[in-house]
Amino acid sequence: MADERLSRVLSRLQNLPSISLPTDYPRPTGTNKLIESVHLAQLSEQASLSLLKLVLYTENEESDEDEVEVGVKRPSAFHLLLAAFTVLLHRYTGDTDIVVGSSSASAREPLILRFPVDPTDPYWAIVRRVQHIEKEAEADALPYDLITRELNKGKEEGQDGPLFRVRFFDETDEPTDNFIGSTSVTSDLTVFVTRPPASTRASLAPHISLRILYNSLLFTSSRISTFIDQLSVLLRKVSSNPLAPVGSVPLLTPSQKAKLPDPTSDLDWCGWKGAITDVFSRNARAHPERPCVVQSLPADSLNVPQETVTFSYGSIHRASNVLAHHLISNGIQREDVVMVYAHRSVDLVVAVMAVLKAGATFSVIDPAYPASRQIIYLRVAQPRGLVVLKGAGAIGPSVREFLTEELKIKVEVAALEVFPDGHISGGYDQEGEDILKAHMHLGKTDPNVVLGPDSVGTLSFTSGSTGIPKGVRGRHFSLTHFFPWMGERFGLNETSKFTMLSGIAHDPIQRDMFTPLFFGAQLHVPTSDDIGTPGRLAEWMAASEVTVTHLTPAMGQLLSAQASCQIPTLLNAFFVGDVLTKRDCLRLQALAANVRIINMYGTTETQRAVSYFAIPPVSQDSTFLATQKDIMPAGEGMIDVQLLVVNRNDRNIPCAVGEVGEIYVRSGGLAEGYLDQDASAEKFVNNWFSASSPRRKDTILHPNGLLAGVESRYWKGIRDRMYRSGDLGRYLPDGIVECTGRADDQVKIRGFRIELGEIDTHLSQHPLIRENVTLVRRDKDEEKILVSYFVPLDGPNLDAYASDIPDDEDTKGLVKGIKKYRRLIKDIREHLKKKLPSYSVPTLFVPLKRMPLNPNGKIDKPALPFPDTAQASFAPAAPTAGASPTEITMQSVWSSILPNAPKPIPTDESFFDLGGHSILATRLIFEIRKVFVIEAPLGLIFEEPTIAGLVQAVDTLRDADLGFTEKVPSTGLPGAPGTPGAGKKPVSPYVEYGQDYIALLEKLRPSYPALPADFNEHPITVFLTGATGFLGAFVLNDLLSRTERVKKVICLVRAKSVQQGVDRLKEGSTDRGVWSDEWVSSGRLEVVTGDLGLDLFGLDQGTWTRVADEADVVLHNGALVHWVFPYEKLRSPNVLGTITAINLAASGKPKAFVFVSSTSAIDTDHYVQLSESLARLQSNSKGVPESDDLEGARSSLKTGYGQSKWVSEKLLFEAGKRGLRGHIVRPGYVVGDSHTAVTNTDDFIWRMVKGCVQLGLVPDINNTVNMVPVDHVARCTALAAVAPLPDAPLSVLHITARPLPTFNDMLSSLAQYGFPTAPCEYLVWRRKLEQHVMEVGDNALFPLLHFVLDDLPTSTKSPELDDSNTTALLEQAGCETSSTVDDALMGLYLAWLVRADFLPLPSSPSPEKALPVLANTGVIRAAGRTGL
């Protein structure tokens, strides 16, 4: 029976989809990371009434009520809410297959529910489906672990992802606790529904409470609030019409509506800023000598300095006037197309301005296009004029033939060339005269052709699905409308220096030219060598002192490739044309610390980039990108532009925040349309949202109190239009738009928009191709490439293109097919080169025997294989003479950090020998991250403490990010064996802790003597290490308070003399309120001086022998606690010191051994998963068992401290097997005394509290934190020594809080007790903290930033611990078995921290609670922890 149920469950759960909810932050890579936050909410009264209304709904209103009850059970509130939740998931993702983890009222096992959803499904159908699928799952309920195990059978490691990422529970269902805990780390969002008991006097509408757990590493609290609001809206809408299709139910809430664009608002339709030609002419007349275009000249070789030629505004004005008059006089009329055969130069600027001054429309052809492609453009454009730039070369014979025979060219300028003095040449006629000679005298005379907002000035091309490009007619309105706003928003003015880097036949070239001409600024033009030679473009921009550049992401990658030259003058970089990634931004920031990166969204049809998302300069905010997702959003509309996200199922419904829809661009600056009127009607649509709005006043036709200007003759009136982009996107909670894909197969690669259908049309015309399809795939470097799959057409003609591949050759599958048809592939590529621009020719061609088909008979695209093209190319960087740029910068960074740095700083001197310390080391790493824009590990300075080592490490990390190295060191720390830093002499040789444990086993004795039979029957002497530390002082006090059981305690103290040792011990214990002089005077306390890291602890042989003969217990509590030092630095005091302590226990009298460890030894993802797995099994274990062998942390511990504790514990396990008896005490965070509140102020917990007070913010972290009062830990430790469990073989004692407090419990008390702190999302808090530390430098968390910023997500998700041994130990002694930190104790701690001057006095005017009065009235001083 169970087998049948399992079979049914597995069949339902095959090929589970993975939901991808819209997140606010990037999803962390690697292991699952969770910062759990909680949001509590009540469903509104309206939503509750809607539930009541839905419960009463009957499909067939005429049916008898009793009949309905017999057939189908009415849905519960839980079913209705789960159905609504499922609909929201569908709307957020577009997915039609939704998987939810849930619970059952009748079955004890959890449920995995899989719901199909179609946008046309009525809501009521989803409700009934939820009921049916839940009932089906309840009937087949099985243990979750069994289902998971069976579904993951045969899968490779890493492919066994979670079955679901969203959960929906009823709070009252029984079995959910363990299941909830075990799946939390892999769940993004969990909804708990509960219905509190109500009086009969209350409303009949159910009062529903929601408790939502979410991962704040992914979502902001505003996202969760949005979700709840939309849930309420959805319920209200479907209660009015339960049969409404779920894909088009409006979700927009009033608060969201206020933040999103209003599709009926005025967009300054009449805001005509004048023609670009008129603005340019005004600038030229006002400042004729001002530099306009600075043209770089090709040098004879790359080593020869480049020369430039400067063209003034006056010279370009004169030259463009001459050419404009020539075009007019030769018959060019208004809006005739004049084609410019171009190259990147000042000549192009002059040609374009001349065409526009003549009132004509310019279009550009790139000579690099194949002749057949040029002919297509000419055929579409039907130009009446032709201007050939001299530097562009001669027109090819086939193109010339087409021009002559098929086009009606009125005028041709055969060889345009402009000179710095404003002289212009157009080539020579048959008489040897310059064809422009007749108009040379008109250089200072503008043609004065009137242009209006709707005059067509540009003709650009975009891909067409039929294989013929579409011509887009651009209006003059857009050529100037946005510039005043851009100048104000981004600081553009006449002092700016722009670049001409766009493709010359790509419409962004217009932006490159017109922006500087509008502002009266400079336009700098590079040579082809500057663009094509790796590293040269950055040098050129730096030498030109460029301040503004327009780039595609591909051009940005070219700019940063092998670039070493900084560009400090670059202030704005506008990106458009393709997806902009975080990596692209980081690369540019590494070259230009002052650059503001602006990601823009736009198409040829919108004429201009119409939205923007600004990324501040890294010099102003080095943390901004850390909280951004990998793909930069499209942003918000520029002035007078709206990005409208519209429901795909009903265009009359605007999308709400989070749901995927189609992006429409609403603006007065759209292009006029396509040359093809039918295509225009499909894509340029009238705004149906404002169809009923009142007509707006046309201030161009009817200006206030004035006559209409001449431009009104070329104005078609107010047209509220939208461009249907075909792009999919969604609104973020702040109204910003992010793109999520294409509604069709049109794609962008390297900034070029490509129609896959166009490629396939031409491909299908090849005579030897039977079937074909082209897709975008990602190569080994995650770069998008075009891959064409084709099935060759069998026949005799194919044989001529096929090669014989022997069957025994070591090739198979796709590789064999590619080799066999290599000649055919070459022919196909040449065929496409004649039809398509080079960027549209696929990178790979894959021959197949047949196309895979899906059940609908269509090509199954996901099933198409991807050929292995991973060919790693590695070229080591050439050595450079003298100091490298990295070394020079590193010297500067060190000089700014070190208090008294020598000049120059020796490259082989240790940072710590020059005055550095751990706090300065943390600051140094943050400076390195900021300056070099790399993710340098915080432990790097301890591995590479010299400038020389850091330079190598930084270059390695940098090159790895740029893709120039084959492998990044797996340790993440250069200097490890096999890495570039390994040749130098490091401070400590690298030691792998797991291997070191194996090597150290030989230091253990073969066996250890048993404890004396009378161990428990007489007073004992304890040898104690670490007594000067925080916990050690309380352990000492606890031991010596047991006067009958403890005869004497011998403390190892690091000091020059015994008296200094006693003084040090007394000072520390007195500060903690646990000292008695009677201990010394009575002889019950003895101090011996030594050091943990020395042989025999530094004791002389006589003292060693005496202690060995006298002591009954070795209580080893001492350690070097440091959260940044690597293992090899902690090995001597922490690991070798433990071996010394073991040897002491085995010398002389047989002794018990107690070792104080830390939960840092199990701080790995394995133990989180283990505790969750045990919870799922509902075993008697409360978490990780005390008997665990620690193998789950053999190689994955991240801190050197945790690694040192792991090795020590493993050695003790082995010693226990060989006879040594005692306990390992493993506590979590040790906090203050539960009575006096004395605490250790250098602990992470209190540093975090103080850091939050200093920052004024507390993070929303619902993760539990295992913090236990020190007196409880000391009691457990002392009992382990004086009254261990019978015959304990170094068994573990877990000390854990019961119940476990949360970070929110702890930090929320700050505001309650009057400390002015506000809650915020964890990632916001983390970013604000980093900024605060870098600006102020004195935050309490500064020394622990590595923990807070790098490891907090995983470190605070700690495993549950079973403490059965500890409970037995305490019960045996008749002590209280549990301890925790509750609200009252937290108040006591805060009061003590204020009295100790660690925290300031609370300053809120009327706090919810007053700090309690402390019982002890003596001197209170902040106490540290470390004791050696």
Side-chain angles (χ1 to χ4, degrees):
M1 189 71 180
D3 288 345
E4 292 179 7
R5 282 189 290 153
L6 180 61
S7 177
R8 288 195 297 270
V9 170
L10 294 180
S11 67
R12 289 198 294 266
L13 300 182
Q14 287 300 310
N15 302 314
L16 286 176
S18 178
I19 197 168
S20 183
L21 288 171
T23 65
D24 298 293
Y25 302 120
R27 186 176 290 277
T29 55
T31 56
N32 292 304
K33 295 182 179 180
L34 172 69
I35 294 290
E36 189 176 271
S37 293
V38 181
H39 188 103
L40 303 176
Q42 293 281 128
L43 268 191
S44 67
E45 179 76 10
Q46 273 188 306
S48 296
L49 287 169
S50 300
L51 284 175
L52 182 60
K53 194 173 177 182
L54 284 165
V55 167
L56 298 174
Y57 174 73
T58 304
E59 284 95 331
N60 187 349
E61 296 291 351
E62 296 178 0
S63 297
D64 183 82
E65 186 70 19
D66 293 334
E67 291 177 10
V68 174
E69 285 297 328
V70 170
V72 181
K73 188 177 180 182
R74 286 192 180 276
S76 65
F78 181 83
H79 293 133
L80 295 169
L81 287 165
L82 178 53
F85 178 65
T86 304
V87 170
L88 285 181
L89 296 178
H90 161 68
R91 294 285 287 272
Y92 292 153
T93 62
D95 294 347
T96 55
D97 190 358
I98 307 292
V99 183
V100 180
S102 189
S103 58
S104 166
S106 59
R108 292 189 58 81
E109 302 296 347
L111 305 181
I112 305 168
L113 307 175
R114 186 177 190 176
F115 303 118
V117 183
D118 189 89
T120 60
D121 287 339
Y123 170 73
W124 198 252
I126 302 294
V127 172
R128 290 306 191 194
R129 193 171 299 154
V130 164
Q131 287 182 276
H132 171 73
I133 290 172
E134 183 193 59
K135 185 178 179 181
E136 198 175 52
E138 285 175 338
D140 292 334
L142 291 167
Y144 177 70
D145 269 14
L146 172 63
I147 297 172
T148 305
R149 187 167 60 249
E150 290 298 319
L151 283 172
N152 289 330
K153 264 186 182 177
K155 290 185 179 180
E156 294 181 16
E157 190 175 348
Q159 293 183 341
D160 51 348
L163 304 187
F164 49 83
R165 286 198 173 274
V166 290
R167 304 178 299 177
F168 196 91
F169 299 120
D170 188 292
E171 196 89 70
T172 61
D173 288 343
E174 250 185 74
T176 56
D177 284 351
N178 290 337
F179 177 62
I180 289 165
S182 65
T183 55
S184 287
V185 76
T186 58
S187 295
D188 296 343
L189 185 70
T190 305
V191 179
F192 292 92
V193 182
T194 188
R195 183 179 178 181
S199 160
T200 55
R201 292 183 173 86
S203 166
L204 276 174
H207 291 281
I208 302 293
S209 297
L210 300 177
R211 181 166 65 95
I212 298 178
L213 302 185
Y214 64 97
N215 189 348
S216 63
L217 290 175
L218 301 177
F219 308 112
T220 62
S221 59
S222 61
R223 173 79 68 178
I224 306 304
S225 298
T226 295
F227 160 73
I228 293 169
D229 291 345
Q230 290 174 346
L231 183 68
S232 297
V233 169
L234 176 63
L235 288 172
R236 292 203 303 271
K237 296 291 184 183
V238 296
S239 69
S240 300
N241 180 11
L243 299 181
V246 295
S248 52
V249 176
L251 299 179
L252 200 56
T253 69
S255 60
Q256 292 171 29
K257 195 171 183 180
K259 292 181 181 178
L260 303 184
D262 177 1
T264 65
S265 62
D266 185 18
L267 298 185
D268 193 16
W269 313 102
C270 303
W272 167 239
K273 304 296 190 278
I276 185 64
T277 50
D278 296 334
V279 176
F280 167 71
S281 294
R282 281 199 303 271
N283 288 335
R285 286 194 294 271
H287 307 284
E289 301 306 319
R290 179 182 289 172
C292 181
V293 177
V294 181
Q295 173 95 50
S296 295
L297 302 178
D300 293 335
S301 72
L302 296 180
N303 299 321
V304 176
Q306 222 174 38
E307 293 184 0
T308 60
V309 178
T310 301
F311 297 81
S312 69
Y313 269 82
S315 62
I316 290 179
H317 183 232
R318 292 191 296 274
S320 58
N321 279 344
V322 169
L323 179 56
H325 283 292
H326 177 77
L327 295 174
I328 293 169
S329 65
N330 282 275
I332 291 298
Q333 297 179 5
R334 183 180 295 277
E335 296 186 6
D336 277 351
V337 176
V338 177
M339 190 65 75
V340 182
Y341 194 76
H343 70 114
R344 193 178 281 104
S345 65
V346 65
D347 302 334
L348 177 58
V349 177
V350 169
V352 166
M353 292 308 295
V355 173
L356 294 179
K357 285 186 172 198
T361 300
F362 82 87
S363 191
V364 178
I365 279 187
D366 189 338
Y369 282 169
S372 59
R373 190 72 178 178
Q374 294 181 35
I375 290 171
I376 290 173
Y377 283 141
L378 290 167
R379 179 176 284 117
V380 172
Q382 292 293 306
R384 308 309 302 276
L386 179 65
V387 177
V388 180
L389 308 189
K390 185 176 181 180
I395 293 176
S398 60
V399 178
R400 174 58 66 186
E401 181 182 354
F402 179 82
L403 285 165
T404 304
E405 297 184 1
E406 299 200 31
L407 297 180
K408 298 175 181 178
I409 301 295
K410 296 178 182 177
V411 56
E412 177 178 347
V413 178
L416 186 74
E417 184 176 14
V418 181
F419 299 92
D421 61 357
H423 178 69
I424 183 170
S425 172
Y428 300 96
D429 58 20
Q430 293 178 349
E431 285 76 34
E433 293 281 349
D434 192 314
I435 61 172
L436 301 179
K437 180 180 178 181
H439 302 98
M440 291 294 184
H441 66 288
L442 296 174
K444 293 186 178 181
T445 306
D446 283 306
N448 290 326
V449 174
V450 175
L451 297 171
D454 287 326
S455 297
V456 175
T458 69
L459 180 64
S460 305
F461 295 96
T462 187
S463 299
S465 57
T466 62
I468 304 299
K470 294 183 286 191
V472 180
R473 303 171 70 228
R475 299 156 58 230
H476 271 272
F477 182 94
S478 307
L479 301 187
T480 58
H481 181 78
F482 302 107
F483 289 144
W485 174 83
M486 290 184 69
E488 182 179 335
R489 175 66 179 80
F490 301 113
L492 311 182
N493 55 41
E494 70 278 2
T495 66
S496 300
K497 297 180 179 180
F498 293 78
T499 61
M500 183 188 280
L501 293 176
S502 298
I504 55 174
H506 203 198
D507 52 276
I509 195 73
Q510 302 168 22
R511 171 196 60 196
D512 285 9
M513 293 187 290
F514 296 148
T515 314
L517 296 184
F518 181 91
F519 287 107
Q522 295 180 28
L523 174 61
H524 288 250
V525 184
T527 67
S528 56
D529 285 338
D530 292 329
I531 294 176
T533 306
R536 275 285 292 276
L537 191 54
E539 294 175 9
W540 172 81
M541 290 179 75
S544 302
E545 298 182 337
V546 166
T547 63
V548 186
T549 187
H550 295 98
L551 301 166
T552 61
M555 184 61 77
Q557 291 160 17
L558 186 63
L559 169 63
S560 60
Q562 300 183 32
S564 59
C565 185
Q566 293 290 303
I567 317 170
T569 59
L570 188 60
L571 303 180
N572 287 289
F574 296 92
F575 279 87
V576 75
D578 206 344
V579 168
L580 181 67
T581 67
K582 184 186 294 188
R583 189 176 179 184
D584 294 328
C585 298
L586 290 170
R587 285 174 171 178
L588 183 57
Q589 287 182 339
L591 292 177
N594 300 316
V595 68
R596 170 172 42 198
I597 297 172
I598 302 100
N599 187 38
M600 308 188 88
Y601 171 83
T603 67
T604 304
E605 291 84 350
T606 64
Q607 268 197 259
R608 298 269 77 80
V610 289
S611 74
Y612 72 102
F613 178 77
I615 298 153
V618 70
S619 59
Q620 292 180 12
D621 186 352
S622 60
T623 66
F624 183 86
L625 281 171
T627 55
Q628 297 301 313
K629 290 187 273 190
D630 290 334
I631 304 298
M632 296 301 108
E636 59 186 305
M638 297 199 304
I639 191 170
D640 304 328
V641 175
Q642 292 177 338
L643 297 191
L644 301 177
V645 184
V646 176
N647 188 292
R648 286 180 288 168
N649 305 296
D650 184 346
R651 70 173 198 171
N652 294 301
I653 297 173
C655 282
V657 168
E659 64 170 318
V660 175
E662 185 171 358
I663 297 174
Y664 284 72
V665 179
R666 179 176 179 243
S667 169
L670 300 179
E672 184 61 35
Y674 300 116
L675 291 171
D676 180 341
Q677 294 300 313
D678 292 338
S680 293
E682 180 185 346
K683 301 289 276 186
F684 293 86
V685 296
N686 290 326
N687 179 13
W688 55 86
F689 292 110
S690 65
S692 58
S693 299
R695 291 178 61 85
R696 295 187 174 88
K697 182 178 179 181
D698 189 331
T699 56
I700 293 180
L701 287 176
H702 307 289
N704 293 326
L706 299 171
L707 295 174
V710 290
E711 72 274 8
S712 64
R713 287 183 284 169
Y714 307 103
W715 165 243
K716 297 181 179 181
I718 294 174
R719 293 181 288 169
D720 189 348
R721 298 186 304 155
M722 301 191 294
Y723 169 66
R724 184 181 184 182
S725 70
D727 288 321
L728 300 180
R730 61 166 67 94
Y731 290 118
L732 301 181
D734 56 3
I736 281 176
V737 173
E738 66 175 0
C739 294
T740 60
R742 286 288 302 171
D744 52 26
D745 275 337
Q746 197 177 67
V747 296
K748 280 190 176 182
I749 294 182
R750 297 187 300 279
F752 297 101
R753 199 164 75 184
I754 294 165
E755 193 86 32
L756 298 180
E758 180 185 17
I759 298 172
D760 284 327
T761 297
H762 290 302
L763 201 55
S764 65
Q765 293 168 356
H766 190 280
L768 293 178
I769 287 182
R770 191 185 78 198
E771 275 185 279
N772 60 274
V773 65
T774 302
L775 301 179
V776 175
R777 290 283 172 91
R778 291 188 181 271
D779 65 11
K780 64 181 180 64
D781 297 320
E782 287 301 304
E783 297 292 337
K784 289 190 291 188
I785 61 171
L786 292 169
V787 182
S788 284
Y789 300 86
F790 68 96
V791 178
L793 183 66
D794 283 330
N797 293 335
L798 182 63
D799 296 338
Y801 289 93
S803 303
D804 290 330
I805 304 295
D807 289 336
D808 59 348
E809 184 175 319
D810 189 23
T811 57
K812 51 188 174 181
L814 298 178
V815 176
K816 185 173 182 179
I818 292 172
K819 283 189 173 184
K820 179 176 181 179
Y821 293 108
R822 183 177 290 139
R823 279 181 288 174
L824 175 60
I825 291 169
K826 183 178 180 182
D827 189 73
I828 293 169
R829 183 174 276 114
E830 292 301 318
H831 165 78
L832 290 180
K833 281 182 179 178
K834 297 173 184 176
K835 308 285 186 180
L836 298 167
S838 58
Y839 57 76
S840 292
V841 176
T843 304
L844 292 174
F845 294 84
V846 182
L848 300 172
K849 290 183 178 179
R850 68 185 67 85
M851 287 286 179
L853 302 179
N854 62 23
N856 295 329
K858 297 180 180 180
I859 293 176
D860 190 359
K861 293 179 181 179
L864 288 165
F866 189 80
D868 183 11
T869 59
Q871 296 292 331
S873 57
F874 174 65
T880 56
S884 68
T886 306
E887 182 179 322
I888 294 169
T889 305
M890 189 68 73
Q891 287 265 2
S892 173
V893 171
W894 277 43
S895 296
S896 67
I897 298 291
L898 287 169
N900 298 294
K903 295 183 179 180
I905 301 174
T907 60
D908 57 352
E909 285 279 333
S910 167
F911 177 79
F912 302 98
D913 292 340
L914 294 172
H917 48 75
S918 60
I919 292 180
L920 289 180
T922 302
R923 187 175 166 201
L924 174 67
I925 292 298
F926 273 86
E927 281 295 313
I928 288 173
R929 287 182 174 184
K930 179 180 174 182
V931 170
F932 295 103
V933 198
I934 57 171
E935 280 302 311
L938 277 145
L940 182 60
I941 183 60
F942 298 99
E943 285 296 317
E944 299 290 351
T946 66
I947 285 181
L950 281 177
V951 165
Q952 278 191 309
V954 166
D955 284 341
T956 299
L957 289 166
R958 218 182 202 176
D959 289 348
D961 182 53
L962 297 177
F964 298 151
T965 56
E966 288 182 306
K967 185 177 181 181
V968 182
S970 60
T971 63
L973 296 173
T979 69
K984 308 181 307 304
K985 181 183 177 182
V987 174
S988 302
Y990 174 75
V991 180
E992 200 285 312
Y993 74 96
Q995 293 298 317
D996 193 39
Y997 156 65
I998 301 296
L1000 290 173
L1001 282 172
E1002 65 183 30
K1003 293 185 177 292
L1004 297 179
R1005 298 188 179 189
S1007 64
Y1008 293 91
L1011 285 176
D1014 62 349
F1015 176 80
N1016 291 315
E1017 298 173 7
H1018 61 81
I1020 60 174
T1021 296
V1022 179
F1023 178 80
L1024 174 64
T1025 66
T1028 58
F1030 180 70
L1031 173 60
F1034 284 87
V1035 171
L1036 176 63
N1037 179 60
D1038 193 290
L1039 288 170
L1040 289 172
S1041 68
R1042 302 173 186 273
T1043 53
E1044 294 185 3
R1045 178 61 173 147
V1046 177
K1047 177 173 64 175
K1048 180 180 179 180
V1049 177
I1050 303 171
C1051 291
L1052 178 71
V1053 179
R1054 192 177 61 209
K1056 292 181 179 179
S1057 67
V1058 170
Q1059 186 56 49
Q1060 286 185 356
V1062 171
D1063 292 343
R1064 184 181 173 208
L1065 190 60
K1066 178 179 179 178
E1067 181 183 10
S1069 292
T1070 301
D1071 287 346
R1072 288 146 186 153
V1074 286
W1075 176 259
S1076 172
D1077 288 325
E1078 190 270 337
W1079 297 341
V1080 179
S1081 62
S1082 66
R1084 295 185 66 222
L1085 174 63
E1086 178 188 349
V1087 168
V1088 294
T1089 61
D1091 192 301
L1092 294 178
L1094 299 179
D1095 290 343
L1096 304 182
F1097 288 143
L1099 304 177
D1100 59 65
Q1101 188 62 52
T1103 304
W1104 173 270
T1105 302
R1106 180 177 63 80
V1107 171
D1109 291 338
E1110 187 176 351
D1112 299 284
V1113 178
V1114 173
L1115 202 168
H1116 186 38
N1117 172 62
L1120 175 55
V1121 181
H1122 199 291
W1123 296 106
V1124 175
F1125 279 178
Y1127 171 75
E1128 50 269 26
K1129 276 191 167 292
L1130 300 172
R1131 181 176 184 264
S1132 180
N1134 293 6
V1135 179
L1136 300 185
T1138 300
I1139 293 175
T1140 303
I1142 293 172
N1143 290 337
L1144 178 62
S1147 301
K1149 182 194 298 186
K1151 304 171 191 66
F1153 191 94
V1154 176
F1155 176 70
V1156 179
S1157 185
S1158 164
T1159 51
S1160 297
I1162 56 171
D1163 192 9
T1164 69
D1165 193 50
H1166 167 83
Y1167 286 105
V1168 174
Q1169 293 174 2
L1170 174 62
S1171 70
E1172 291 175 347
S1173 176
L1174 291 170
R1176 283 198 297 269
L1177 294 172
Q1178 300 182 24
S1179 65
N1180 293 325
S1181 172
K1182 303 172 190 172
V1184 175
E1186 290 160 310
S1187 59
D1188 183 85
D1189 62 5
L1190 288 187
E1191 284 301 304
R1194 177 179 280 272
S1195 61
S1196 50
L1197 288 167
K1198 294 179 181 178
T1199 66
Y1201 178 71
Q1203 293 166 0
S1204 72
K1205 288 296 185 182
W1206 183 90
V1207 175
S1208 297
E1209 285 200 40
K1210 288 289 285 185
L1211 290 169
L1212 285 167
F1213 287 170
E1214 184 59 32
K1217 293 176 184 175
R1218 300 181 188 188
L1220 191 62
R1221 290 296 175 260
H1223 288 294
I1224 295 169
V1225 180
R1226 196 185 283 162
Y1229 290 112
V1230 181
V1231 292
D1233 185 278
S1234 61
H1235 304 289
T1236 66
V1238 174
T1239 193
N1240 52 325
T1241 53
D1242 68 348
D1243 189 85
F1244 165 71
I1245 293 291
W1246 304 124
R1247 284 188 174 276
M1248 185 170 185
V1249 165
K1250 183 174 182 177
C1252 288
V1253 171
Q1254 290 174 317
L1255 190 62
L1257 296 170
V1258 295
D1260 180 3
I1261 304 177
N1262 203 48
N1263 296 23
T1264 56
V1265 53
N1266 183 16
M1267 54 182 186
V1268 189
V1270 65
D1271 48 321
H1272 180 71
V1273 180
R1275 183 181 308 117
C1276 295
T1277 306
L1279 285 172
V1282 303
L1285 293 174
D1287 198 35
L1290 272 301
S1291 52
V1292 171
L1293 302 173
H1294 278 150
I1295 304 182
T1296 185
R1298 299 281 182 208
L1300 281 168
T1302 68
F1303 276 92
N1304 281 346
D1305 294 337
M1306 174 181 70
L1307 297 175
S1308 63
S1309 64
L1310 290 174
Q1312 292 172 10
Y1313 283 103
F1315 295 95
T1317 52
C1320 67
E1321 284 99 15
Y1322 165 69
L1323 288 182
V1324 173
W1325 176 82
R1326 187 176 73 176
R1327 182 180 166 210
K1328 294 290 186 184
L1329 174 66
E1330 187 174 352
Q1331 289 174 322
H1332 182 255
V1333 166
M1334 296 310 297
E1335 292 167 5
V1336 180
D1338 68 345
N1339 189 281
L1341 280 168
F1342 192 99
L1344 297 174
L1345 278 178
H1346 64 283
F1347 183 69
V1348 177
L1349 302 185
D1350 285 358
D1351 296 325
L1352 193 57
T1354 46
S1355 298
T1356 58
K1357 178 59 182 176
S1358 54
E1360 298 281 341
L1361 303 176
D1362 184 275
D1363 59 352
S1364 300
N1365 287 344
T1366 308
T1367 301
L1369 181 78
L1370 291 165
E1371 287 176 344
Q1372 174 181 280
C1375 299
E1376 181 66 40
T1377 58
S1378 64
S1379 181
T1380 191
V1381 178
D1382 56 19
D1383 289 344
L1385 184 53
M1386 190 66 196
L1388 206 62
Y1389 287 151
L1390 293 175
W1392 188 91
L1393 292 167
V1394 170
R1395 281 280 301 277
D1397 292 328
F1398 182 76
L1399 291 180
L1401 283 167
S1403 58
S1404 296
S1406 53
E1408 182 181 330
K1409 299 177 182 177
L1411 288 176
V1413 178
L1414 297 175
N1416 53 328
T1417 57
V1419 177
I1420 291 179
R1421 289 196 292 175
R1425 165 178 50 180
T1426 305
L1428 297 178

